[in-house]
Amino acid sequence: MGIMDFIKGELIDVIEWTDDSRDTLSWRYPDEDKAVKNGAQLIVRESQVAQFVYVGEFGDTFKPGKHTLTTENIPVLTKLKSWPYGFNSPFKADVYFVVTRLFTGNKWGTSNPVMLRDDDFGIVRVRAFGTYDFRIVEPRTFLREVAGSDHNFRLDEFSDTMRSRIVSIFTDAIASAKIPVLDVASRYGELGEALLPLINPAVTTKYGIEITSFIVENVSVPPEVEAAIDKRSSMAAIGNLNEFVKYQMGKGFEAGGGGGAAGAAAELAVGFGLAQQMMKEGFPGGHAMPTVAPASGASASGAALPELLSPGEAATALGVSEADVMAVLESGELKGKKIGSAWRISRAALTSYMS
């Protein structure tokens, strides 16, 4: 081998990368300690960007196309190497190829619950997960902040590096957006679209990427918050609670003696109501109906009702759920006394409410 053949073997004529993978984000050209000669060809394919790095500083960035490396088309590197009159000798520089295509279906999720301030429920612990699509838009920022000098930076490394960062940005975005937990848990599609304008400025500035699609697949809240959401949904479905309670009473009356204690109490309550209505209207012939009340505290079936009832006992007597009784207590339609955290209802108040 002649000296010229040896010299040619130590110089790089063509710099290119044929990407046959689907999970590589950046790739450093393996120069094997060779120098790039003046006039070498740089081939950058679609969905690629070539970034030169000289002695730890970013040089020129090349978009897709075929480029001849001369003083004229590498101005940044020319300035860094102080070539005022052009270069005729080989030079050494690292060349990174950065993939700019769209990477889809990347998973994100909270490993631990995040704390959010909510107008309805106060401080709430929330878990969330979903997927996002992204592309690299600032190669220099991406290489500096994410990939570093990694020879072959792959998608699995990116996922591990970025998962906690994406969750942190998601938490900040949802907190600043002040989206109620009820909306977070029921409007996933709209939530992702609403968060994109808040997330992208942060990830582009910090990491050089743009998130094109951010999908929230699930948001879970503690069981007590789920119960509150279910209760609110039930109340909305019921509509007029007073009419619903009366409807439940009517169903109990219709069931007759087969309803047990609830049926007997319903018969008693409705009987009182009918008696009072007939007293107002009077009997045919102008005589008012005499009121015949059962013995004090006794129901139609002979079962005694206590003078003071808990919401649960009132619910059993009315044939409705305890949540319905609590709702009418809090609305003031049914009179009761709150002792500490417990409600107590007098038999007279229950009878008055039914009439």
Side-chain angles (χ1 to χ4, degrees), residues 185-207:
S186 61
R187 300 169 65 181
Y188 296 145
E190 297 177 27
L191 176 62
E193 292 297 325
L195 291 178
L196 271 181
L198 301 174
I199 292 175
N200 265 327
V203 297
T204 301
T205 302
K206 291 182 178 180
Y207 311 118

Side-chain angles (χ1 to χ4, degrees), residues 113-133:
V114 296
M115 306 294 288
L116 297 177
R117 187 180 299 278
D118 185 76
D119 292 338
D120 294 325
F121 303 109
I123 302 296
V124 182
R125 291 176 289 110
V126 174
R127 290 181 182 270
F129 65 84
T131 60
Y132 65 96
D133 305 337

Side-chain angles (χ1 to χ4, degrees), residues 43-55:
I43 300 173
V44 184
R45 289 174 169 78
E46 290 295 334
S47 299
Q48 293 179 355
V49 168
Q51 177 65 54
F52 277 71
V53 179
Y54 175 71
V55 213

Side-chain angles (χ1 to χ4, degrees), residues 272-287:
F272 283 160
L274 289 175
Q276 290 183 359
Q277 186 67 27
M278 293 176 71
M279 286 176 63
K280 291 177 182 178
E281 296 179 0
F283 268 60
H287 299 289

Side-chain angles (χ1 to χ4, degrees), residues 240-247 249 269 273 276 314 318 320 324-325 327-329 331-335 345-355:
N240 189 314
L241 288 175
N242 190 36
E243 294 299 322
F244 178 75
V245 170
K246 291 179 179 178
Y247 168 76
M249 286 175 46
Q276 290 183 359
L318 296 176
V320 298
D324 295 332
V325 173
V328 292
L329 276 171
S331 69
E333 295 179 47
L334 174 61
K335 304 300 181 183
I345 308 149
S346 68
R347 182 160 53 90
L350 187 64
T351 303
S352 173
Y353 172 73
M354 293 312 306
S355 62

Side-chain angles (χ1 to χ4, degrees), residues 13-15 39-45 48-50 52 61-70 73-74 97:
D13 292 320
V14 178
I15 302 174
Q41 300 298 305
L42 172 66
I43 300 173
V44 184
R45 289 174 169 78
Q48 293 179 355
V49 168
F52 277 71
T61 306
F62 293 88
K63 295 182 179 180
K66 184 178 181 180
H67 309 275
T68 301
L69 300 180
T70 63
N73 66 4
I74 52 172
F97 287 90

